[in-house]
Amino acid sequence: MSANNSSTLKMPQGKFRAYLGLGLSATGILILLAMPTLISQYYVYLLATVFTTALLATSLNLVLGYGGLLHLHHGVFYGVGAYTVAIIMTKTSWPFAVAVVLGPLVAALIALVIGWFCVRLRGLYFGMLTLALGQLVWAIIYRWNALTNGDNGIHAIPVPEFLTSVNSVYYTTLIILCLSLVILYLISKSPFGLTLLATRDNPMRSESLGIHVRRHRLTAFVIAGFFAGLAGVLFVLVERSVAPSLLSWNKSAEILIMCLMGGLTVFMGPTLGAVILVFLSMFVGLYTEYWLLVLGVLLLILVLFLPQGILGYFIKSNDKKGGV
């Protein structure tokens, strides 16, 4: 066979990457399904925490990476989803299923209200307004003692009996994470997702083509808030307690760094960033209490040496070499 004929039989680079990604994803899921039988209960709990955080970071990336919006307080929707479940389960007689449904919906509603104001601004002004309004929600949670117990938080949140073991929580969070990632991936590759990318790269040209930029950004903001609220529901399953720190700016900064660490332009980048940051915070906490200082150094390194993130760096390097 000639060289020309053999070159025509090569699989296109994009298709090869897609099949490779599917193969690696399937292998990873099989390994994760077997994990509870291979590791201790503590690490099973830690992986459940990683799943929750990965969903939270990926939801932010829809706004930050694909929408190009500097969202500085995404953790507020995480906390709202968690507090909704906690309040319903401790102060009402409603079933757990209702709490699970309402958690993401209330978070999406708060995202709609905040986003309605924020999408009228751009750049740093957008980010500062999200920060200010997010801090306002945090202050309400922190001060409304009759409903939220204030800075004491809500503890011993009841959950169904089948979700009381570490393994059941692990598999529940894993399944919800996988389904959510599939949905978010399909959204990112849909006409809406591609249009969102266009509004990120050139909002003025998008408007001239008849695209309603604000509407697309608001829709992305609400979708991201919904999945952040869903991550908050998973947090309640894992921890059985909530506190105002879930809505703090420090938490939002960690989520932002996860996205930057993995790569804003790569769909699985935030998931990688969540894995690294959760395990790193655990090990750093064993030796020092200055986790925020370590976090600041990490952010500095990312900005200076890996602005495209870890996965973004490797993909860019392979593209330069002509590899797959």
mmCIF file with all atom_site columns, all heavy atoms in Angstrom, residues 76-77 80-81 84 103-117 133-134 137 140 218 221-222 225-226 247:
data_model
loop_
_atom_site.group_PDB
_atom_site.id
_atom_site.type_symbol
_atom_site.label_atom_id
_atom_site.label_alt_id
_atom_site.label_comp_id
_atom_site.label_asym_id
_atom_site.label_entity_id
_atom_site.label_seq_id
_atom_site.pdbx_PDB_ins_code
_atom_site.Cartn_x
_atom_site.Cartn_y
_atom_site.Cartn_z
_atom_site.occupancy
_atom_site.B_iso_or_equiv
_atom_site.pdbx_formal_charge
_atom_site.auth_seq_id
_atom_site.auth_comp_id
_atom_site.auth_asym_id
_atom_site.auth_atom_id
_atom_site.pdbx_PDB_model_num
ATOM 1   N N   . VAL A 1 76  ? -22.151 30.421 46.048 1.00 0.00 ? 76  VAL A N   1
ATOM 2   C CA  . VAL A 1 76  ? -23.411 30.803 46.668 1.00 0.00 ? 76  VAL A CA  1
ATOM 3   C C   . VAL A 1 76  ? -24.527 29.845 46.251 1.00 0.00 ? 76  VAL A C   1
ATOM 4   O O   . VAL A 1 76  ? -25.388 29.483 47.064 1.00 0.00 ? 76  VAL A O   1
ATOM 5   C CB  . VAL A 1 76  ? -23.775 32.265 46.311 1.00 0.00 ? 76  VAL A CB  1
ATOM 6   C CG1 . VAL A 1 76  ? -24.071 32.427 44.831 1.00 0.00 ? 76  VAL A CG1 1
ATOM 7   C CG2 . VAL A 1 76  ? -24.966 32.734 47.135 1.00 0.00 ? 76  VAL A CG2 1
ATOM 8   N N   . PHE A 1 77  ? -24.526 29.372 45.015 1.00 0.00 ? 77  PHE A N   1
ATOM 9   C CA  . PHE A 1 77  ? -25.564 28.447 44.546 1.00 0.00 ? 77  PHE A CA  1
ATOM 10  C C   . PHE A 1 77  ? -25.370 27.058 45.154 1.00 0.00 ? 77  PHE A C   1
ATOM 11  O O   . PHE A 1 77  ? -26.341 26.342 45.409 1.00 0.00 ? 77  PHE A O   1
ATOM 12  C CB  . PHE A 1 77  ? -25.548 28.376 43.023 1.00 0.00 ? 77  PHE A CB  1
ATOM 13  C CG  . PHE A 1 77  ? -25.586 29.730 42.371 1.00 0.00 ? 77  PHE A CG  1
ATOM 14  C CD1 . PHE A 1 77  ? -24.665 30.077 41.394 1.00 0.00 ? 77  PHE A CD1 1
ATOM 15  C CD2 . PHE A 1 77  ? -26.526 30.666 42.751 1.00 0.00 ? 77  PHE A CD2 1
ATOM 16  C CE1 . PHE A 1 77  ? -24.679 31.329 40.808 1.00 0.00 ? 77  PHE A CE1 1
ATOM 17  C CE2 . PHE A 1 77  ? -26.560 31.930 42.173 1.00 0.00 ? 77  PHE A CE2 1
ATOM 18  C CZ  . PHE A 1 77  ? -25.630 32.255 41.203 1.00 0.00 ? 77  PHE A CZ  1
ATOM 19  N N   . VAL A 1 80  ? -26.827 27.454 48.599 1.00 0.00 ? 80  VAL A N   1
ATOM 20  C CA  . VAL A 1 80  ? -28.288 27.561 48.558 1.00 0.00 ? 80  VAL A CA  1
ATOM 21  C C   . VAL A 1 80  ? -28.916 26.182 48.348 1.00 0.00 ? 80  VAL A C   1
ATOM 22  O O   . VAL A 1 80  ? -29.912 25.827 49.004 1.00 0.00 ? 80  VAL A O   1
ATOM 23  C CB  . VAL A 1 80  ? -28.732 28.537 47.452 1.00 0.00 ? 80  VAL A CB  1
ATOM 24  C CG1 . VAL A 1 80  ? -30.228 28.407 47.168 1.00 0.00 ? 80  VAL A CG1 1
ATOM 25  C CG2 . VAL A 1 80  ? -28.408 29.974 47.855 1.00 0.00 ? 80  VAL A CG2 1
ATOM 26  N N   . GLY A 1 81  ? -28.356 25.394 47.444 1.00 0.00 ? 81  GLY A N   1
ATOM 27  C CA  . GLY A 1 81  ? -28.876 24.040 47.227 1.00 0.00 ? 81  GLY A CA  1
ATOM 28  C C   . GLY A 1 81  ? -28.775 23.185 48.473 1.00 0.00 ? 81  GLY A C   1
ATOM 29  O O   . GLY A 1 81  ? -29.713 22.464 48.829 1.00 0.00 ? 81  GLY A O   1
ATOM 30  N N   . THR A 1 84  ? -31.229 24.474 51.204 1.00 0.00 ? 84  THR A N   1
ATOM 31  C CA  . THR A 1 84  ? -32.626 24.154 50.875 1.00 0.00 ? 84  THR A CA  1
ATOM 32  C C   . THR A 1 84  ? -32.973 22.751 51.350 1.00 0.00 ? 84  THR A C   1
ATOM 33  O O   . THR A 1 84  ? -34.013 22.532 51.989 1.00 0.00 ? 84  THR A O   1
ATOM 34  C CB  . THR A 1 84  ? -32.859 24.267 49.360 1.00 0.00 ? 84  THR A CB  1
ATOM 35  O OG1 . THR A 1 84  ? -32.585 25.606 48.933 1.00 0.00 ? 84  THR A OG1 1
ATOM 36  C CG2 . THR A 1 84  ? -34.290 23.911 49.002 1.00 0.00 ? 84  THR A CG2 1
ATOM 37  N N   . GLY A 1 103 ? -33.818 21.607 45.872 1.00 0.00 ? 103 GLY A N   1
ATOM 38  C CA  . GLY A 1 103 ? -32.474 22.150 46.081 1.00 0.00 ? 103 GLY A CA  1
ATOM 39  C C   . GLY A 1 103 ? -31.897 22.802 44.832 1.00 0.00 ? 103 GLY A C   1
ATOM 40  O O   . GLY A 1 103 ? -31.582 24.012 44.836 1.00 0.00 ? 103 GLY A O   1
ATOM 41  N N   . PRO A 1 104 ? -31.765 22.064 43.731 1.00 0.00 ? 104 PRO A N   1
ATOM 42  C CA  . PRO A 1 104 ? -31.254 22.679 42.498 1.00 0.00 ? 104 PRO A CA  1
ATOM 43  C C   . PRO A 1 104 ? -32.177 23.740 41.920 1.00 0.00 ? 104 PRO A C   1
ATOM 44  O O   . PRO A 1 104 ? -31.701 24.730 41.346 1.00 0.00 ? 104 PRO A O   1
ATOM 45  C CB  . PRO A 1 104 ? -31.125 21.486 41.531 1.00 0.00 ? 104 PRO A CB  1
ATOM 46  C CG  . PRO A 1 104 ? -31.127 20.285 42.390 1.00 0.00 ? 104 PRO A CG  1
ATOM 47  C CD  . PRO A 1 104 ? -31.949 20.623 43.587 1.00 0.00 ? 104 PRO A CD  1
ATOM 48  N N   . LEU A 1 105 ? -33.500 23.561 42.079 1.00 0.00 ? 105 LEU A N   1
ATOM 49  C CA  . LEU A 1 105 ? -34.441 24.534 41.517 1.00 0.00 ? 105 LEU A CA  1
ATOM 50  C C   . LEU A 1 105 ? -34.359 25.880 42.239 1.00 0.00 ? 105 LEU A C   1
ATOM 51  O O   . LEU A 1 105 ? -34.403 26.939 41.597 1.00 0.00 ? 105 LEU A O   1
ATOM 52  C CB  . LEU A 1 105 ? -35.871 23.990 41.583 1.00 0.00 ? 105 LEU A CB  1
ATOM 53  C CG  . LEU A 1 105 ? -36.185 22.813 40.644 1.00 0.00 ? 105 LEU A CG  1
ATOM 54  C CD1 . LEU A 1 105 ? -37.617 22.351 40.836 1.00 0.00 ? 105 LEU A CD1 1
ATOM 55  C CD2 . LEU A 1 105 ? -35.927 23.199 39.191 1.00 0.00 ? 105 LEU A CD2 1
ATOM 56  N N   . VAL A 1 106 ? -34.245 25.859 43.557 1.00 0.00 ? 106 VAL A N   1
ATOM 57  C CA  . VAL A 1 106 ? -34.103 27.109 44.307 1.00 0.00 ? 106 VAL A CA  1
ATOM 58  C C   . VAL A 1 106 ? -32.782 27.779 43.949 1.00 0.00 ? 106 VAL A C   1
ATOM 59  O O   . VAL A 1 106 ? -32.710 29.012 43.784 1.00 0.00 ? 106 VAL A O   1
ATOM 60  C CB  . VAL A 1 106 ? -34.198 26.849 45.820 1.00 0.00 ? 106 VAL A CB  1
ATOM 61  C CG1 . VAL A 1 106 ? -33.883 28.123 46.611 1.00 0.00 ? 106 VAL A CG1 1
ATOM 62  C CG2 . VAL A 1 106 ? -35.590 26.352 46.185 1.00 0.00 ? 106 VAL A CG2 1
ATOM 63  N N   . ALA A 1 107 ? -31.718 26.976 43.809 1.00 0.00 ? 107 ALA A N   1
ATOM 64  C CA  . ALA A 1 107 ? -30.417 27.528 43.404 1.00 0.00 ? 107 ALA A CA  1
ATOM 65  C C   . ALA A 1 107 ? -30.516 28.167 42.024 1.00 0.00 ? 107 ALA A C   1
ATOM 66  O O   . ALA A 1 107 ? -29.951 29.248 41.786 1.00 0.00 ? 107 ALA A O   1
ATOM 67  C CB  . ALA A 1 107 ? -29.349 26.433 43.412 1.00 0.00 ? 107 ALA A CB  1
ATOM 68  N N   . ALA A 1 108 ? -31.235 27.511 41.093 1.00 0.00 ? 108 ALA A N   1
ATOM 69  C CA  . ALA A 1 108 ? -31.414 28.076 39.754 1.00 0.00 ? 108 ALA A CA  1
ATOM 70  C C   . ALA A 1 108 ? -32.224 29.363 39.801 1.00 0.00 ? 108 ALA A C   1
ATOM 71  O O   . ALA A 1 108 ? -31.954 30.307 39.041 1.00 0.00 ? 108 ALA A O   1
ATOM 72  C CB  . ALA A 1 108 ? -32.103 27.050 38.850 1.00 0.00 ? 108 ALA A CB  1
ATOM 73  N N   . LEU A 1 109 ? -33.207 29.431 40.705 1.00 0.00 ? 109 LEU A N   1
ATOM 74  C CA  . LEU A 1 109 ? -34.003 30.643 40.846 1.00 0.00 ? 109 LEU A CA  1
ATOM 75  C C   . LEU A 1 109 ? -33.151 31.808 41.358 1.00 0.00 ? 109 LEU A C   1
ATOM 76  O O   . LEU A 1 109 ? -33.236 32.931 40.842 1.00 0.00 ? 109 LEU A O   1
ATOM 77  C CB  . LEU A 1 109 ? -35.175 30.392 41.791 1.00 0.00 ? 109 LEU A CB  1
ATOM 78  C CG  . LEU A 1 109 ? -36.096 31.589 42.075 1.00 0.00 ? 109 LEU A CG  1
ATOM 79  C CD1 . LEU A 1 109 ? -36.752 32.068 40.782 1.00 0.00 ? 109 LEU A CD1 1
ATOM 80  C CD2 . LEU A 1 109 ? -37.160 31.216 43.104 1.00 0.00 ? 109 LEU A CD2 1
ATOM 81  N N   . ILE A 1 110 ? -32.312 31.536 42.355 1.00 0.00 ? 110 ILE A N   1
ATOM 82  C CA  . ILE A 1 110 ? -31.395 32.565 42.855 1.00 0.00 ? 110 ILE A CA  1
ATOM 83  C C   . ILE A 1 110 ? -30.426 32.987 41.751 1.00 0.00 ? 110 ILE A C   1
ATOM 84  O O   . ILE A 1 110 ? -30.107 34.176 41.593 1.00 0.00 ? 110 ILE A O   1
ATOM 85  C CB  . ILE A 1 110 ? -30.624 32.051 44.080 1.00 0.00 ? 110 ILE A CB  1
ATOM 86  C CG1 . ILE A 1 110 ? -31.585 31.714 45.220 1.00 0.00 ? 110 ILE A CG1 1
ATOM 87  C CG2 . ILE A 1 110 ? -29.601 33.083 44.551 1.00 0.00 ? 110 ILE A CG2 1
ATOM 88  C CD1 . ILE A 1 110 ? -32.381 32.890 45.744 1.00 0.00 ? 110 ILE A CD1 1
ATOM 89  N N   . ALA A 1 111 ? -29.984 32.014 40.949 1.00 0.00 ? 111 ALA A N   1
ATOM 90  C CA  . ALA A 1 111 ? -29.085 32.332 39.834 1.00 0.00 ? 111 ALA A CA  1
ATOM 91  C C   . ALA A 1 111 ? -29.786 33.219 38.805 1.00 0.00 ? 111 ALA A C   1
ATOM 92  O O   . ALA A 1 111 ? -29.163 34.120 38.229 1.00 0.00 ? 111 ALA A O   1
ATOM 93  C CB  . ALA A 1 111 ? -28.595 31.040 39.176 1.00 0.00 ? 111 ALA A CB  1
ATOM 94  N N   . LEU A 1 112 ? -31.069 32.962 38.588 1.00 0.00 ? 112 LEU A N   1
ATOM 95  C CA  . LEU A 1 112 ? -31.834 33.791 37.651 1.00 0.00 ? 112 LEU A CA  1
ATOM 96  C C   . LEU A 1 112 ? -31.916 35.235 38.132 1.00 0.00 ? 112 LEU A C   1
ATOM 97  O O   . LEU A 1 112 ? -31.728 36.176 37.346 1.00 0.00 ? 112 LEU A O   1
ATOM 98  C CB  . LEU A 1 112 ? -33.238 33.205 37.485 1.00 0.00 ? 112 LEU A CB  1
ATOM 99  C CG  . LEU A 1 112 ? -34.203 33.987 36.585 1.00 0.00 ? 112 LEU A CG  1
ATOM 100 C CD1 . LEU A 1 112 ? -33.693 34.046 35.155 1.00 0.00 ? 112 LEU A CD1 1
ATOM 101 C CD2 . LEU A 1 112 ? -35.600 33.354 36.628 1.00 0.00 ? 112 LEU A CD2 1
ATOM 102 N N   . VAL A 1 113 ? -32.156 35.422 39.431 1.00 0.00 ? 113 VAL A N   1
ATOM 103 C CA  . VAL A 1 113 ? -32.266 36.771 39.991 1.00 0.00 ? 113 VAL A CA  1
ATOM 104 C C   . VAL A 1 113 ? -30.918 37.485 39.926 1.00 0.00 ? 113 VAL A C   1
ATOM 105 O O   . VAL A 1 113 ? -30.824 38.634 39.450 1.00 0.00 ? 113 VAL A O   1
ATOM 106 C CB  . VAL A 1 113 ? -32.777 36.714 41.440 1.00 0.00 ? 113 VAL A CB  1
ATOM 107 C CG1 . VAL A 1 113 ? -32.755 38.107 42.065 1.00 0.00 ? 113 VAL A CG1 1
ATOM 108 C CG2 . VAL A 1 113 ? -34.175 36.125 41.491 1.00 0.00 ? 113 VAL A CG2 1
ATOM 109 N N   . ILE A 1 114 ? -29.865 36.808 40.385 1.00 0.00 ? 114 ILE A N   1
ATOM 110 C CA  . ILE A 1 114 ? -28.531 37.426 40.371 1.00 0.00 ? 114 ILE A CA  1
ATOM 111 C C   . ILE A 1 114 ? -28.068 37.658 38.936 1.00 0.00 ? 114 ILE A C   1
ATOM 112 O O   . ILE A 1 114 ? -27.532 38.722 38.596 1.00 0.00 ? 114 ILE A O   1
ATOM 113 C CB  . ILE A 1 114 ? -27.532 36.545 41.142 1.00 0.00 ? 114 ILE A CB  1
ATOM 114 C CG1 . ILE A 1 114 ? -27.884 36.527 42.634 1.00 0.00 ? 114 ILE A CG1 1
ATOM 115 C CG2 . ILE A 1 114 ? -26.096 37.042 40.942 1.00 0.00 ? 114 ILE A CG2 1
ATOM 116 C CD1 . ILE A 1 114 ? -26.991 35.643 43.475 1.00 0.00 ? 114 ILE A CD1 1
ATOM 117 N N   . GLY A 1 115 ? -28.269 36.655 38.085 1.00 0.00 ? 115 GLY A N   1
ATOM 118 C CA  . GLY A 1 115 ? -27.818 36.768 36.700 1.00 0.00 ? 115 GLY A CA  1
ATOM 119 C C   . GLY A 1 115 ? -28.527 37.857 35.931 1.00 0.00 ? 115 GLY A C   1
ATOM 120 O O   . GLY A 1 115 ? -27.940 38.499 35.052 1.00 0.00 ? 115 GLY A O   1
ATOM 121 N N   . TRP A 1 116 ? -29.807 38.104 36.247 1.00 0.00 ? 116 TRP A N   1
ATOM 122 C CA  . TRP A 1 116 ? -30.575 39.140 35.552 1.00 0.00 ? 116 TRP A CA  1
ATOM 123 C C   . TRP A 1 116 ? -29.900 40.497 35.692 1.00 0.00 ? 116 TRP A C   1
ATOM 124 O O   . TRP A 1 116 ? -29.889 41.295 34.751 1.00 0.00 ? 116 TRP A O   1
ATOM 125 C CB  . TRP A 1 116 ? -31.992 39.184 36.106 1.00 0.00 ? 116 TRP A CB  1
ATOM 126 C CG  . TRP A 1 116 ? -32.911 40.074 35.317 1.00 0.00 ? 116 TRP A CG  1
ATOM 127 C CD1 . TRP A 1 116 ? -33.608 39.752 34.190 1.00 0.00 ? 116 TRP A CD1 1
ATOM 128 C CD2 . TRP A 1 116 ? -33.225 41.446 35.607 1.00 0.00 ? 116 TRP A CD2 1
ATOM 129 N NE1 . TRP A 1 116 ? -34.338 40.825 33.754 1.00 0.00 ? 116 TRP A NE1 1
ATOM 130 C CE2 . TRP A 1 116 ? -34.139 41.878 34.605 1.00 0.00 ? 116 TRP A CE2 1
ATOM 131 C CE3 . TRP A 1 116 ? -32.844 42.338 36.598 1.00 0.00 ? 116 TRP A CE3 1
ATOM 132 C CZ2 . TRP A 1 116 ? -34.650 43.168 34.574 1.00 0.00 ? 116 TRP A CZ2 1
ATOM 133 C CZ3 . TRP A 1 116 ? -33.358 43.625 36.573 1.00 0.00 ? 116 TRP A CZ3 1
ATOM 134 C CH2 . TRP A 1 116 ? -34.244 44.039 35.568 1.00 0.00 ? 116 TRP A CH2 1
ATOM 135 N N   . PHE A 1 117 ? -29.329 40.769 36.861 1.00 0.00 ? 117 PHE A N   1
ATOM 136 C CA  . PHE A 1 117 ? -28.607 42.022 37.072 1.00 0.00 ? 117 PHE A CA  1
ATOM 137 C C   . PHE A 1 117 ? -27.200 41.968 36.468 1.00 0.00 ? 117 PHE A C   1
ATOM 138 O O   . PHE A 1 117 ? -26.727 42.941 35.870 1.00 0.00 ? 117 PHE A O   1
ATOM 139 C CB  . PHE A 1 117 ? -28.497 42.330 38.572 1.00 0.00 ? 117 PHE A CB  1
ATOM 140 C CG  . PHE A 1 117 ? -29.801 42.646 39.226 1.00 0.00 ? 117 PHE A CG  1
ATOM 141 C CD1 . PHE A 1 117 ? -30.468 41.688 39.970 1.00 0.00 ? 117 PHE A CD1 1
ATOM 142 C CD2 . PHE A 1 117 ? -30.382 43.898 39.102 1.00 0.00 ? 117 PHE A CD2 1
ATOM 143 C CE1 . PHE A 1 117 ? -31.679 41.969 40.588 1.00 0.00 ? 117 PHE A CE1 1
ATOM 144 C CE2 . PHE A 1 117 ? -31.591 44.198 39.699 1.00 0.00 ? 117 PHE A CE2 1
ATOM 145 C CZ  . PHE A 1 117 ? -32.246 43.227 40.442 1.00 0.00 ? 117 PHE A CZ  1
ATOM 146 N N   . LEU A 1 133 ? -23.374 40.462 45.211 1.00 0.00 ? 133 LEU A N   1
ATOM 147 C CA  . LEU A 1 133 ? -24.678 39.832 45.415 1.00 0.00 ? 133 LEU A CA  1
ATOM 148 C C   . LEU A 1 133 ? -24.540 38.480 46.114 1.00 0.00 ? 133 LEU A C   1
ATOM 149 O O   . LEU A 1 133 ? -25.394 38.096 46.918 1.00 0.00 ? 133 LEU A O   1
ATOM 150 C CB  . LEU A 1 133 ? -25.398 39.670 44.076 1.00 0.00 ? 133 LEU A CB  1
ATOM 151 C CG  . LEU A 1 133 ? -25.784 40.982 43.377 1.00 0.00 ? 133 LEU A CG  1
ATOM 152 C CD1 . LEU A 1 133 ? -26.430 40.707 42.026 1.00 0.00 ? 133 LEU A CD1 1
ATOM 153 C CD2 . LEU A 1 133 ? -26.727 41.804 44.252 1.00 0.00 ? 133 LEU A CD2 1
ATOM 154 N N   . GLY A 1 134 ? -23.463 37.767 45.819 1.00 0.00 ? 134 GLY A N   1
ATOM 155 C CA  . GLY A 1 134 ? -23.213 36.510 46.511 1.00 0.00 ? 134 GLY A CA  1
ATOM 156 C C   . GLY A 1 134 ? -22.970 36.718 47.994 1.00 0.00 ? 134 GLY A C   1
ATOM 157 O O   . GLY A 1 134 ? -23.469 35.959 48.841 1.00 0.00 ? 134 GLY A O   1
ATOM 158 N N   . VAL A 1 137 ? -26.285 37.207 49.763 1.00 0.00 ? 137 VAL A N   1
ATOM 159 C CA  . VAL A 1 137 ? -26.969 35.947 50.082 1.00 0.00 ? 137 VAL A CA  1
ATOM 160 C C   . VAL A 1 137 ? -26.298 35.279 51.277 1.00 0.00 ? 137 VAL A C   1
ATOM 161 O O   . VAL A 1 137 ? -26.972 34.745 52.177 1.00 0.00 ? 137 VAL A O   1
ATOM 162 C CB  . VAL A 1 137 ? -26.975 35.008 48.856 1.00 0.00 ? 137 VAL A CB  1
ATOM 163 C CG1 . VAL A 1 137 ? -27.610 33.660 49.209 1.00 0.00 ? 137 VAL A CG1 1
ATOM 164 C CG2 . VAL A 1 137 ? -27.719 35.646 47.686 1.00 0.00 ? 137 VAL A CG2 1
ATOM 165 N N   . ILE A 1 140 ? -27.460 36.893 54.462 1.00 0.00 ? 140 ILE A N   1
ATOM 166 C CA  . ILE A 1 140 ? -28.817 36.484 54.839 1.00 0.00 ? 140 ILE A CA  1
ATOM 167 C C   . ILE A 1 140 ? -28.784 35.129 55.536 1.00 0.00 ? 140 ILE A C   1
ATOM 168 O O   . ILE A 1 140 ? -29.417 34.919 56.584 1.00 0.00 ? 140 ILE A O   1
ATOM 169 C CB  . ILE A 1 140 ? -29.725 36.444 53.595 1.00 0.00 ? 140 ILE A CB  1
ATOM 170 C CG1 . ILE A 1 140 ? -29.935 37.857 53.044 1.00 0.00 ? 140 ILE A CG1 1
ATOM 171 C CG2 . ILE A 1 140 ? -31.068 35.797 53.930 1.00 0.00 ? 140 ILE A CG2 1
ATOM 172 C CD1 . ILE A 1 140 ? -30.667 37.893 51.723 1.00 0.00 ? 140 ILE A CD1 1
ATOM 173 N N   . LEU A 1 218 ? -27.444 34.639 30.390 1.00 0.00 ? 218 LEU A N   1
ATOM 174 C CA  . LEU A 1 218 ? -28.327 34.407 31.522 1.00 0.00 ? 218 LEU A CA  1
ATOM 175 C C   . LEU A 1 218 ? -28.743 32.939 31.590 1.00 0.00 ? 218 LEU A C   1
ATOM 176 O O   . LEU A 1 218 ? -28.799 32.350 32.676 1.00 0.00 ? 218 LEU A O   1
ATOM 177 C CB  . LEU A 1 218 ? -29.562 35.301 31.418 1.00 0.00 ? 218 LEU A CB  1
ATOM 178 C CG  . LEU A 1 218 ? -30.588 35.178 32.552 1.00 0.00 ? 218 LEU A CG  1
ATOM 179 C CD1 . LEU A 1 218 ? -29.956 35.490 33.894 1.00 0.00 ? 218 LEU A CD1 1
ATOM 180 C CD2 . LEU A 1 218 ? -31.788 36.092 32.290 1.00 0.00 ? 218 LEU A CD2 1
ATOM 181 N N   . PHE A 1 221 ? -25.926 30.994 32.951 1.00 0.00 ? 221 PHE A N   1
ATOM 182 C CA  . PHE A 1 221 ? -25.796 31.310 34.375 1.00 0.00 ? 221 PHE A CA  1
ATOM 183 C C   . PHE A 1 221 ? -26.791 30.494 35.196 1.00 0.00 ? 221 PHE A C   1
ATOM 184 O O   . PHE A 1 221 ? -26.445 29.953 36.254 1.00 0.00 ? 221 PHE A O   1
ATOM 185 C CB  . PHE A 1 221 ? -26.043 32.808 34.575 1.00 0.00 ? 221 PHE A CB  1
ATOM 186 C CG  . PHE A 1 221 ? -25.458 33.373 35.833 1.00 0.00 ? 221 PHE A CG  1
ATOM 187 C CD1 . PHE A 1 221 ? -24.126 33.752 35.899 1.00 0.00 ? 221 PHE A CD1 1
ATOM 188 C CD2 . PHE A 1 221 ? -26.248 33.540 36.951 1.00 0.00 ? 221 PHE A CD2 1
ATOM 189 C CE1 . PHE A 1 221 ? -23.595 34.275 37.061 1.00 0.00 ? 221 PHE A CE1 1
ATOM 190 C CE2 . PHE A 1 221 ? -25.725 34.068 38.123 1.00 0.00 ? 221 PHE A CE2 1
ATOM 191 C CZ  . PHE A 1 221 ? -24.391 34.434 38.173 1.00 0.00 ? 221 PHE A CZ  1
ATOM 192 N N   . VAL A 1 222 ? -28.019 30.384 34.709 1.00 0.00 ? 222 VAL A N   1
ATOM 193 C CA  . VAL A 1 222 ? -29.056 29.628 35.421 1.00 0.00 ? 222 VAL A CA  1
ATOM 194 C C   . VAL A 1 222 ? -28.747 28.136 35.394 1.00 0.00 ? 222 VAL A C   1
ATOM 195 O O   . VAL A 1 222 ? -28.908 27.437 36.407 1.00 0.00 ? 222 VAL A O   1
ATOM 196 C CB  . VAL A 1 222 ? -30.440 29.916 34.813 1.00 0.00 ? 222 VAL A CB  1
ATOM 197 C CG1 . VAL A 1 222 ? -31.501 28.999 35.417 1.00 0.00 ? 222 VAL A CG1 1
ATOM 198 C CG2 . VAL A 1 222 ? -30.818 31.372 35.029 1.00 0.00 ? 222 VAL A CG2 1
ATOM 199 N N   . GLY A 1 225 ? -26.083 27.504 37.834 1.00 0.00 ? 225 GLY A N   1
ATOM 200 C CA  . GLY A 1 225 ? -26.625 27.574 39.184 1.00 0.00 ? 225 GLY A CA  1
ATOM 201 C C   . GLY A 1 225 ? -27.397 26.318 39.561 1.00 0.00 ? 225 GLY A C   1
ATOM 202 O O   . GLY A 1 225 ? -27.311 25.838 40.696 1.00 0.00 ? 225 GLY A O   1
ATOM 203 N N   . PHE A 1 226 ? -28.123 25.757 38.603 1.00 0.00 ? 226 PHE A N   1
ATOM 204 C CA  . PHE A 1 226 ? -28.877 24.518 38.852 1.00 0.00 ? 226 PHE A CA  1
ATOM 205 C C   . PHE A 1 226 ? -27.935 23.385 39.232 1.00 0.00 ? 226 PHE A C   1
ATOM 206 O O   . PHE A 1 226 ? -28.161 22.682 40.234 1.00 0.00 ? 226 PHE A O   1
ATOM 207 C CB  . PHE A 1 226 ? -29.687 24.150 37.612 1.00 0.00 ? 226 PHE A CB  1
ATOM 208 C CG  . PHE A 1 226 ? -30.421 22.832 37.735 1.00 0.00 ? 226 PHE A CG  1
ATOM 209 C CD1 . PHE A 1 226 ? -31.701 22.799 38.268 1.00 0.00 ? 226 PHE A CD1 1
ATOM 210 C CD2 . PHE A 1 226 ? -29.834 21.651 37.326 1.00 0.00 ? 226 PHE A CD2 1
ATOM 211 C CE1 . PHE A 1 226 ? -32.382 21.591 38.390 1.00 0.00 ? 226 PHE A CE1 1
ATOM 212 C CE2 . PHE A 1 226 ? -30.504 20.442 37.451 1.00 0.00 ? 226 PHE A CE2 1
ATOM 213 C CZ  . PHE A 1 226 ? -31.784 20.414 37.982 1.00 0.00 ? 226 PHE A CZ  1
ATOM 214 N N   . LEU A 1 247 ? -21.101 29.127 51.510 1.00 0.00 ? 247 LEU A N   1
ATOM 215 C CA  . LEU A 1 247 ? -21.401 30.271 50.650 1.00 0.00 ? 247 LEU A CA  1
ATOM 216 C C   . LEU A 1 247 ? -20.315 31.345 50.711 1.00 0.00 ? 247 LEU A C   1
ATOM 217 O O   . LEU A 1 247 ? -20.484 32.427 50.157 1.00 0.00 ? 247 LEU A O   1
ATOM 218 C CB  . LEU A 1 247 ? -22.738 30.909 51.041 1.00 0.00 ? 247 LEU A CB  1
ATOM 219 C CG  . LEU A 1 247 ? -24.001 30.078 50.867 1.00 0.00 ? 247 LEU A CG  1
ATOM 220 C CD1 . LEU A 1 247 ? -24.280 29.238 52.101 1.00 0.00 ? 247 LEU A CD1 1
ATOM 221 C CD2 . LEU A 1 247 ? -25.196 30.960 50.573 1.00 0.00 ? 247 LEU A CD2 1
#
